[in-house]
Amino acid sequence: MEKMTFRTVRMIALLGAAALPLGFSAIMLAQSAAEKALITKAQKLEATGHPEMAAQTWEQVLLADPNNREALLGIAKTDMQLGKTAEAKRYLDRLRANGESQEEVTKILETPRIQSRSGRLDEAGRFAQEGNYTEAMRVYREVFGDKP
């Protein structure tokens, strides 16, 4: 192995120092893209009736950015819909601490409770066990739609 000159070592150090900000900006862009992908996923899960999975995805966004406004709003709303009011209020408190308007917080507090998809399927199963097949099919159609 050849001995490096001082000039070579200095040149390598300068190149490394110049490349360092580029590496950090690439990492920041990747995190931002990943957060955007998770936010999109959570919104789609909410829209398709999967609130529990949406809440898990919102939590992943909050792991990357604990003050992400969209994630805090999304998980608070989802928790209110699922009847987890204590958890929702914790997220709303974080939103207030970050300067969220009271109007937005009030809107989330007034979110109606929904039954989760798995809860609806359990309900349909109970109807079927009781022999109430018409009601069971009504619930299955609500959950899955009219197409198999």
Side-chain angles (χ1 to χ4, degrees), residues 60-74:
Q60 291 173 352
V61 174
L62 291 174
L63 286 173
D65 180 6
N67 294 320
N68 185 295
R69 180 185 178 277
E70 277 185 270
L72 288 168
L73 286 168

Side-chain angles (χ1 to χ4, degrees), residues 5-148:
T5 65
F6 176 74
R7 182 178 177 173
T8 306
V9 171
R10 193 174 89 192
M11 182 63 84
I12 291 171
L14 285 172
L15 287 173
L20 195 58
L22 295 174
F24 281 131
S25 64
I27 289 171
M28 294 304 285
L29 286 175
Q31 287 176 343
S32 178
E35 284 178 25
K36 288 178 186 176
L38 286 171
I39 288 169
T40 301
K41 179 181 177 182
Q43 290 168 340
K44 286 180 182 177
L45 288 167
E46 280 181 351
T48 56
H50 297 89
E52 296 98 347
M53 293 170 64
Q56 290 173 353
T57 307
W58 288 127
E59 287 173 358
Q60 291 173 352
V61 174
L62 291 174
L63 286 173
D65 180 6
N67 294 320
N68 185 295
R69 180 185 178 277
E70 277 185 270
L72 288 168
L73 286 168
I75 197 164
K77 179 182 171 192
T78 302
D79 281 348
M80 285 301 286
Q81 289 175 331
L82 294 172
K84 300 177 181 178
T85 54
E87 290 91 342
K89 287 180 181 177
R90 277 199 338 260
Y91 292 116
L92 291 174
D93 289 342
R94 286 172 58 182
L95 277 166
R96 281 189 202 104
N98 290 334
E100 188 61 43
S101 71
Q102 185 59 37
E103 179 183 326
E104 192 70 38
V105 171
T106 302
K107 191 176 0 174
I108 290 174
L109 286 170
E110 294 171 352
T111 301
R113 186 169 188 262
I114 61 166
Q115 191 172 12
S116 69
R117 186 175 183 164
S118 61
R120 297 287 291 152
L121 292 175
D122 290 343
E123 180 182 18
R126 281 192 300 277
F127 284 136
Q129 283 178 339
E130 295 168 358
N132 191 349
Y133 303 115
T134 305
E135 199 59 28
M137 285 307 297
R138 184 189 60 74
V139 174
Y140 284 131
R141 283 192 182 104
E142 284 177 13
V143 173
F144 296 116
D146 289 333
K147 297 179 183 178

